[in-house]
């Protein structure tokens, strides 16, 4: 495999930068450009050495360097890490020196891909690395950390082992029907399949909640102009993210912000006011607002409770009916107009607020948590799963359900085993044992270069 290199820290000025290299030629390439301050050139495994990087006779930077021998490294290959000053110029010059001396620039996620190919981690742990890096809340980070520690692998391996044993017993019954071997009963098959299905049911339920926490709840803030949409966004972010003005149509572009709602990531989208637009630019903004409603997991529909309802208000109520939504009756400090309640559907979720004073905002946050999590939730209630894994979990669940139906109907073993094998294949694909190269490449394209 090729020897790769990349800058692992952010490409911006800082105190220290890390340039890493992995592959069979890592040590030889590093020795061409590094001179130890002590004059040594026989470097011990995983010791840190102080010295200088040179381009021929030209001094480049003063650095610390570590040589790490295979197989006990992140990638399972020989690795070198260079800790330079955090100058962008220094980082680039050292990287270019490695390339000039035979290394190749790493692709996105290639260091972690090498760890997967080398067998140090499975694909769920590799995906968890990317999610740890991109986590937006403490709870999301901790979820990814559990997966990196092997929690998903251990769960899937347990189910896979049960199915492998079941398949082996059924195959014995198929291949040696005349031998004096105790035949596996349909009752035993059913019990095993029910146990696997129940475990999958619980795992999928917990993973569905985790996916919302990890990926964030797409939340659209909508309303007619000048009802307090931007004020709501600013209250969530606690800063002047959006311009607040009494002039209608101030917000024309959709503004997106991520916020941490006590462990839940909300992807807040403040949209243009929905009304009859006065120009083409505003019409485009209104169209984007309507699309944001369709794409949202949650719609926060804001109304000016101090004023009579408008046709735009009524249109918004109609537009959000097939989405999870909360009505926010804002500006209660300026007056109240009860006709809004008459137009809401039965058992509608709504909050009275004054975003100017903060009244009702804590109740709104509690309502969002209750709507998506059923109230308080602890780390132990959650399990990690990304979109790819959820799809495969559902495929495995569907195959197990079909196999259960076959077992209860006492179908012949040759037919029964097909769906059991299908479930096992889906579970093994979660761990990367059945992945083709195209899917593998797509997974690692989500990584940053240097990881």
């Amino acid at each position: 495999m090729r020897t790769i290199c990349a800058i692992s820290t952010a490409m911006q000025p800082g105190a220290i930068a890390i340039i890493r290299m992995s592959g069979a030629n890592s040590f030889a390439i590093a020795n061409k450009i590094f001179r130890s301050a002590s004059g040594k050139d026989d470097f011990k495994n995983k010791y840190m050495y102080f010295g200088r990087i040179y381009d021929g006779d030209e001094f480049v930077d003063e650095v610390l360097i570590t040589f790490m021998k295979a197989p006990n490294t992140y990638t399972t290959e020989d690795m070198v890490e260079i800790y330079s000053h955090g100058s962008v110029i220094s980082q680039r010059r050292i990287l270019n020196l490695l390339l000039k001396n035979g290394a190749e620039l790493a692709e996105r996620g290639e260091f972690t891909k090498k760890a997967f190919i080398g067998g140090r981690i499975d694909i769920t742990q590799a995906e968890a690395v990317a999610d740890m890096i991109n986590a937006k809340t403490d709870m999301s980070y901790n979820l990814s950390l559990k997966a990196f520690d092997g929690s998903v692998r251990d769960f899937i391996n347990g189910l896979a082992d049960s199915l492998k044993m079941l398949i082996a017993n059924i195959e014995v019954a198929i291949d040696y029907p005349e031998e004096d071997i105790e035949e596996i009963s349909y009752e035993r098959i059913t019990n095993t399949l029910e146990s696997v299905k129940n475990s999958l049911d619980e795992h999928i339920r917990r993973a569905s909640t985790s996916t919302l926490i990890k990926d964030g709840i797409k939340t659209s803030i909508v309303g007619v102009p000048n009802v307090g949409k931007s004020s709501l966004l600013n209250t969530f972010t606690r800063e002047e993210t959006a311009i607040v003005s009494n002039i209608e149509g101030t917000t024309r572009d959709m503004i997106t912000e991520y916020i941490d709602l006590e462990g839940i990531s909300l992807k807040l989208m403040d949209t243009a006011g929905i009304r009859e637009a006065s120009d083409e630019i505003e019409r485009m903004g209104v169209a984007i607002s309507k699309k944001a409603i369709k794409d949202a997991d949650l719609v926060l529909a804001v109304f000016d409770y101090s004023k009579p309802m408008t046709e735009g208000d009524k249109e918004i109520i109609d537009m959000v009916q097939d989405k999870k939504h909360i009505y926010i009756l804002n500006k209660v400090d300026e007056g109240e107009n009860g006709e809004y309640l008459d137009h809401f559907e039965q058992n509608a979720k709504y909050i009275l607020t004054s975003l100017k004073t903060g009244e009702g905002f804590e109740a709104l946050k509690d309502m969002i948590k209750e709507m998506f999590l059923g109230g308080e939730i602890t780390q132990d209630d959650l399990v990690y799963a990304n979109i790819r894994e959820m799809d495969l979990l559902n495929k495995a669940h569907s195959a197990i359900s079909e196999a259960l139906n076959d077992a209860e109907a006492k179908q012949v073993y040759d037919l029964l085993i097909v769906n059991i094998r299908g479930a096992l294949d889906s579970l093994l694909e979660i761990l990367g044992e059945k992945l083709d190269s195209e899917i593998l490449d797509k997974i690692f394209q989500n990584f940053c270069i240097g990881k």
Side-chain angles (χ1 to χ4, degrees), residues 270-322:
D270 179 22
T271 62
I274 295 176
R275 66 167 182 172
E276 196 67 38
S278 59
D279 58 52
E280 183 59 29
I281 294 176
E282 194 174 350
R283 271 191 289 275
M284 291 172 61
V286 171
I288 291 171
S289 299
K290 291 180 177 180
K291 185 179 185 301
I293 293 175
K294 291 181 181 179
D295 295 342
D297 300 312
L298 170 66
V299 178
L300 301 179
V302 187
F303 304 94
D304 185 345
Y305 198 40
S306 69
K307 293 180 180 178
M309 286 191 78
T310 66
E311 290 303 314
D313 292 324
K314 294 174 185 177
E315 181 185 2
I316 288 168
I317 292 172
D318 290 338
M319 290 170 63
V320 303
Q321 289 307 302
D322 62 344

Side-chain angles (χ1 to χ4, degrees), residues 161-398:
D161 287 345
S162 296
L163 294 181
K164 287 175 183 176
M165 183 62 70
L166 185 58
I167 289 170
N169 285 321
I170 294 173
E171 284 179 336
V172 167
I174 293 171
D175 295 338
Y176 305 101
E178 298 177 359
E179 296 292 330
D180 187 21
I181 301 172
E182 182 181 357
E183 187 173 302
I184 185 169
S185 67
Y186 281 102
E187 180 182 4
R188 183 176 161 195
I189 293 171
T190 300
N191 288 341
T192 301
L193 292 175
E194 283 182 342
S195 175
V196 172
K197 181 176 178 293
N198 290 338
S199 295
L200 279 173
D201 282 337
E202 178 64 11
H203 191 85
I204 289 170
R205 182 192 67 78
R206 294 167 65 194
S208 297
T209 301
S210 302
T211 301
L212 280 174
I213 289 172
K214 181 172 67 67
D215 297 335
I217 301 168
K218 288 186 286 187
T219 306
S220 292
I221 303 172
V222 300
V224 301
N226 205 25
V227 293
K229 299 185 301 298
S230 295
S231 294
L232 178 60
L233 177 66
N234 292 341
T235 303
F236 269 115
T237 61
R238 297 178 184 175
E239 58 185 46
E240 292 298 317
T241 300
I243 299 170
V244 177
S245 168
N246 290 325
I247 302 171
E248 293 188 355
T250 301
T251 303
R252 294 191 174 198
D253 297 322
M254 187 164 66
I255 299 171
T256 302
E257 287 285 335
Y258 281 93
I259 64 118
D260 180 355
L261 183 62
E262 298 175 26
I264 309 171
S265 178
L266 289 188
K267 183 182 179 182
L268 288 171
M269 296 171 283
D270 179 22
T271 62
I274 295 176
R275 66 167 182 172
E276 196 67 38
S278 59
D279 58 52
E280 183 59 29
I281 294 176
E282 194 174 350
R283 271 191 289 275
M284 291 172 61
V286 171
I288 291 171
S289 299
K290 291 180 177 180
K291 185 179 185 301
I293 293 175
K294 291 181 181 179
D295 295 342
D297 300 312
L298 170 66
V299 178
L300 301 179
V302 187
F303 304 94
D304 185 345
Y305 198 40
S306 69
K307 293 180 180 178
M309 286 191 78
T310 66
E311 290 303 314
D313 292 324
K314 294 174 185 177
E315 181 185 2
I316 288 168
I317 292 172
D318 290 338
M319 290 170 63
V320 303
Q321 289 307 302
D322 62 344
K323 309 295 296 186
K324 283 189 175 181
H325 60 275
I326 298 173
Y327 298 126
I328 299 172
L329 300 173
N330 190 32
K331 304 188 182 182
V332 295
D333 55 313
E334 298 179 16
E336 298 186 9
N337 189 326
E339 71 171 309
Y340 286 90
L341 302 179
D342 296 333
H343 284 83
F344 293 165
E345 69 275 12
Q346 190 175 7
N347 299 320
K349 295 184 182 296
Y350 67 90
I351 292 284
L352 301 179
T353 66
S354 169
L355 295 171
K356 185 186 296 184
T357 66
E359 179 184 347
F361 183 66
E362 291 300 319
L364 173 61
K365 293 196 295 184
D366 290 340
M367 187 174 285
I368 294 171
K369 287 188 292 181
E370 180 67 33
M371 182 177 285
F372 284 90
L373 302 179
E376 292 298 320
I377 194 162
T378 66
Q379 195 71 48
D380 292 337
D381 295 324
L382 304 173
V383 294
Y384 173 94
N386 57 29
I387 293 173
R388 182 190 72 87
E389 293 166 13
M390 283 296 290
D391 178 57
L392 291 167
L393 286 168
N394 285 317
K395 285 179 179 177
H397 186 275
S398 178

Side-chain angles (χ1 to χ4, degrees), residues 59-100:
F59 171 48
V60 175
D61 197 5
E62 199 168 65
V63 302
L64 294 170
I65 191 168
T66 303
F67 295 81
M68 296 170 276
K69 293 181 180 179
N72 297 317
T73 67
Y74 182 74
T75 63
T76 73
E77 299 177 333
D78 285 346
M79 289 189 71
V80 172
E81 288 192 348
I82 300 169
Y83 312 93
S84 71
H85 289 101
S87 160
V88 173
I89 304 299
S90 171
Q91 295 175 57
R92 285 177 177 163
R93 289 185 68 182
I94 294 172
L95 181 67
N96 286 334
L97 269 176
L98 298 178
L99 296 172
K100 188 169 83 171

